[in-house]
Amino acid sequence: MGFSDLLEQVGSTGRFQILHVTLLCTPVLMMASHNLLQNFVAVVPPHYCSAHSNLSQSQLSPEEALRITVPQDHRGKPHRCQRYVVPQWHLLDKNGTSNLRKEGNSVDDLDADLQGCMDGWTYNMTDRSSTIISDWHLVCDLHSLKQMGQTIYMGGVLVGAFLFGTLADRYGRRILLLISYILMAVSGTCAAFSPSFPLFCFFRFGCGMALSGMALNSFSLIVEWIPTRVRTVVGTITGYCYTVGQLILALMAYYIRDWRWLTLAVSLPFYVFFLYAWWFHESARWLALNNKPDQAIKGLKSVAKFNRRCDEGEKIDIKMLQESMKNELSSSKGSYTALDLFRTPYMRITTVCLAAVWLSTSFAYYGLSMDLQKFGVDIYLIQVIFGAVDIPAKIIITVTMSYIGRRPSQCGALIIAGVTILINLLVPYDQQTLRTSLAVVGKGCLSASFNCCYLYTGELYPTIIRQNGMGFVSSMARVGAMVAPMVRLTGDYIPWLPGLIYGGAPILSGVAAIFLPETLGTPLPDTIQDVEEREHHHEKNAVDNQTCLSDNQ
């Protein structure tokens, strides 16, 4: 793998790499804010039907008006979506009220005619000063639009994975990253000032596309400028930036209770990221493999100068570059598409298994993370807990990836997550603390799985189609994220079915990950031929080891 030798020559872990990785990781802090933004901008506040318009001139207190206009549901709370056709004045009688409550009557027991909320809703805005739910009345018959908003956002992430993954291999990582930053900034700003829900969804779709572009190209630029020996540590640092971002979101949401200002606050930093991203160096590895040797050499010399290794950098010329990457350059001629992910046997197996891993990880992750209100505790607290659990989870996965290997780490994280979710099905619903604790453990394992599969995928795919590969498997993850809310809706008919699906999917994909090759300590492949040769070599070693064992017996 010739490029690694050139990278060592100009300094593979010098000042350039430290600054480069730091600047690329900083925007990752804000990615979680957009990914999980709906947990706070789409909080469903307690609500009930507004009183009849002819009661506005009466001398009734709000409590009395509520009593005579809104029936109670089966839990003894004001019904969210129905009211009496005419005010029930007799309920103001103390004896009538006490008898009604004593008998435990609910909506179904009342003889009075009921109707929908003809005069709108009244919201209890204790936790948030405003949300998209209260502003656009996405309740009752329109309650499914909340899930649609998140699905549309994830649709943008899906389209972005296809689009940016393909374009980055053709036009480079740097320019697509710049486009992603400005797209996120502009779309987020427009979403904050959207006058209607359809426009909000349109701009959130743009935010989703931008997030995919940032995730794919940031990670590729990081991986392609660092040596093999530090890939695990740097990949983990990048994952921790996302973890810290979840805590930052909880803090910002706690102090910014208006959904418009919160959306704007998590979008404005991307204007700054766009400005300093012009300094980023395009991947010299990508430039060399795309017939741009002069630019690759210029980039390597710039890195050498930044790392104070000017003499070593001046030795690099086109001849040295071509000689060092002779095999890679000869194999990389021609154009590559997503079809090349399935063209050869080992690439085909790798792509199918990785698709299953990414889809199930994202599917179960967002199934747990995107409805914090269901846990019955403070949403800010549960967001902090869900974010904090990533810290020990990623420490553990980093240790296992470095000493045990990528494959067993990936398999273990998925299977443990699935088992934890399935166990939760057996816990009684009233034991919220235990249920929440199990969900936190499962979420930690899924976060660890994400951390592992980002690094693992980058190591499995060769440079010439790495972005195609990352784009494809990332798109599978977004399919999982889009399906997750729809699966949750099945709980209205079969309460235990969502948990069964959320738990079963990671277990099945954990088994599929067994068929992936191990990449611990192996050089980063540049071409499809490198991948095929590596796997043939592993097969040959396995056969030789089996022969030796047979001879010894």
Side-chain angles (χ1 to χ4, degrees):
M1 303 297 171
F3 183 79
S4 59
D5 297 328
L6 293 178
L7 194 59
E8 292 292 341
Q9 186 172 331
V10 300
S12 60
T13 54
R15 293 193 307 162
F16 169 81
Q17 279 76 15
I18 294 173
L19 181 60
H20 185 72
V21 171
T22 300
L23 293 179
L24 282 167
C25 285
T26 302
V28 178
L29 293 170
M30 303 307 298
M31 283 172 56
S33 297
H34 274 277
N35 236 9
L36 303 174
L37 185 63
Q38 181 136 330
N39 278 333
F40 299 99
V41 303
V43 169
V44 181
H47 57 276
Y48 51 85
C49 294
S50 296
H52 300 74
S53 56
N54 59 2
L55 291 180
S56 59
Q57 303 298 323
S58 67
Q59 301 299 318
L60 296 174
S61 67
E63 291 77 12
E64 291 174 331
L66 175 63
R67 184 182 304 167
I68 66 174
T69 56
V70 179
Q72 295 180 343
D73 61 16
H74 65 280
R75 297 170 299 177
K77 296 182 179 181
H79 200 282
R80 291 188 168 194
C81 300
Q82 287 184 315
R83 73 176 187 181
Y84 298 118
V85 174
V86 295
Q88 303 296 298
W89 295 98
H90 68 278
L91 295 178
L92 290 178
D93 177 67
K94 293 184 178 180
N95 293 331
T97 303
S98 61
N99 289 336
L100 179 67
R101 289 179 176 173
K102 184 176 180 181
E103 293 168 8
N105 292 336
S106 63
V107 174
D108 297 331
D109 300 318
L110 298 172
D111 294 331
D113 293 330
L114 302 175
Q115 64 180 188
C117 300
M118 308 302 293
D119 294 302
W121 291 263
T122 299
Y123 298 93
N124 181 358
M125 305 305 295
T126 303
D127 290 331
R128 309 290 300 171
S129 63
S130 72
T131 69
I132 64 171
I133 305 299
S134 61
D135 278 12
W136 293 316
H137 304 300
L138 307 181
V139 292
C140 298
D141 292 340
L142 300 180
H143 77 281
S144 60
L145 293 182
K146 173 188 174 180
Q147 303 300 340
M148 180 183 292
Q150 182 65 16
T151 299
I152 290 173
Y153 169 77
M154 285 300 173
V157 180
L158 174 62
V159 172
F162 278 117
L163 184 64
F164 286 105
T166 301
L167 293 179
D169 275 333
R170 179 172 298 180
Y171 299 107
R173 285 77 159 113
R174 178 177 172 271
I175 186 63
L176 270 298
L177 187 59
L178 283 166
I179 293 173
S180 299
Y181 285 153
I182 195 63
L183 178 60
M184 178 65 86
V186 173
S187 296
T189 302
C190 292
F193 294 103
S194 296
S196 65
F197 181 67
L199 273 178
F200 173 79
C201 291
F202 174 78
F203 290 120
R204 284 288 288 164
F205 184 88
C207 291
M209 289 182 60
L211 184 128
S212 269
M214 285 189 296
L216 294 172
N217 291 291
S218 294
F219 194 76
S220 289
L221 277 179
I222 289 172
V223 166
E224 293 175 4
W225 275 114
I226 59 176
T228 302
R229 63 181 181 275
V230 298
R231 286 204 304 256
T232 302
V233 174
V234 173
T236 303
I237 291 173
T238 306
Y240 272 120
C241 288
Y242 188 87
T243 298
V244 174
Q246 296 179 61
L247 305 180
I248 292 174
L249 173 62
L251 183 65
M252 295 178 70
Y254 183 81
Y255 286 104
I256 306 175
R257 299 298 178 104
D258 184 275
W259 75 267
R260 293 186 184 275
W261 287 108
L262 178 60
T263 304
L264 184 63
V266 300
S267 302
L268 290 179
F270 288 95
Y271 289 106
V272 178
F273 303 149
F274 171 74
L275 292 177
Y276 77 57
W278 289 93
W279 174 84
F280 289 153
H281 288 49
E282 180 58 89
S283 167
R285 186 192 294 266
W286 177 85
L287 290 169
L289 291 172
N290 282 271
N291 300 317
K292 298 180 180 180
D294 293 334
Q295 295 181 43
I297 293 171
K298 182 181 178 181
L300 288 167
K301 288 184 176 181
S302 176
V303 171
K305 183 178 180 181
F306 202 90
N307 286 337
R308 297 176 180 175
R309 305 187 70 169
C310 295
D311 294 339
E312 295 296 326
E314 291 300 323
K315 296 178 182 178
I316 300 176
D317 54 21
I318 292 180
K319 183 178 180 181
M320 179 183 292
L321 180 66
Q322 292 175 339
E323 185 64 29
S324 298
M325 303 189 70
K326 184 177 180 180
N327 293 332
E328 291 81 0
L329 288 169
S330 62
S331 299
S332 65
K333 292 180 180 179
S335 59
Y336 294 88
T337 66
L339 294 177
D340 293 289
L341 300 174
F342 301 91
R343 206 174 295 280
T344 60
Y346 292 110
M347 289 301 302
R348 190 159 48 244
I349 294 173
T350 297
T351 299
V352 171
C353 293
L354 283 176
V357 167
W358 280 74
L359 188 147
S360 64
T361 299
S362 180
F363 171 73
Y365 180 93
Y366 288 103
L368 290 177
S369 301
M370 288 309 301
D371 190 12
L372 300 184
Q373 287 182 285
K374 67 184 177 184
F375 294 106
V377 297
D378 184 78
I379 58 174
Y380 307 102
L381 175 61
I382 195 66
Q383 179 64 62
V384 170
I385 294 174
F386 266 26
V389 73
D390 289 6
I391 298 175
K394 290 177 179 178
I395 290 176
I396 294 172
I397 202 69
T398 300
V399 172
T400 59
M401 282 194 299
S402 299
Y403 293 98
I404 300 178
R406 275 63 156 156
R407 180 170 57 190
S409 300
Q410 186 73 77
C411 296
L414 285 167
I415 292 174
I416 293 174
V419 170
T420 304
I421 296 171
L422 291 179
I423 291 176
N424 223 347
L425 293 175
L426 306 177
V427 180
Y429 188 79
D430 57 351
Q431 297 185 21
Q432 290 294 333
T433 302
L434 179 57
R435 290 176 60 85
T436 302
S437 300
L438 288 170
V440 168
V441 173
K443 194 266 183 182
C445 290
L446 292 168
S447 297
S449 176
F450 259 132
N451 207 58
C452 183
C453 64
Y454 263 105
L455 177 65
Y456 201 10
T457 302
E459 293 178 338
L460 286 170
Y461 283 126
T463 302
I464 55 174
I465 58 170
R466 182 168 295 119
Q467 288 302 99
N468 277 329
M470 291 291 288
F472 177 77
V473 296
S474 179
S475 68
M476 292 297 101
R478 305 318 160 198
V479 170
M482 291 175 65
V483 172
M486 292 184 282
V487 169
R488 192 183 301 123
L489 294 176
T490 63
D492 295 339
Y493 308 98
I494 307 177
W496 49 265
L497 185 58
L500 179 65
I501 300 174
Y502 288 143
I507 293 176
L508 292 176
S509 64
V511 174
I514 295 174
F515 298 96
L516 292 170
E518 180 58 67
T519 60
L520 177 61
T522 61
L524 201 64
D526 282 317
T527 66
I528 295 176
Q529 182 181 354
D530 289 339
V531 175
E532 296 296 316
E533 289 178 352
R534 180 179 64 186
E535 294 312 305
H536 281 300
H537 178 70
H538 287 168
E539 278 194 356
K540 184 177 182 300
N541 287 341
V543 172
D544 291 342
N545 291 335
Q546 186 66 35
T547 302
C548 290
L549 289 174
S550 299
D551 293 342
N552 291 334
Q553 292 176 354

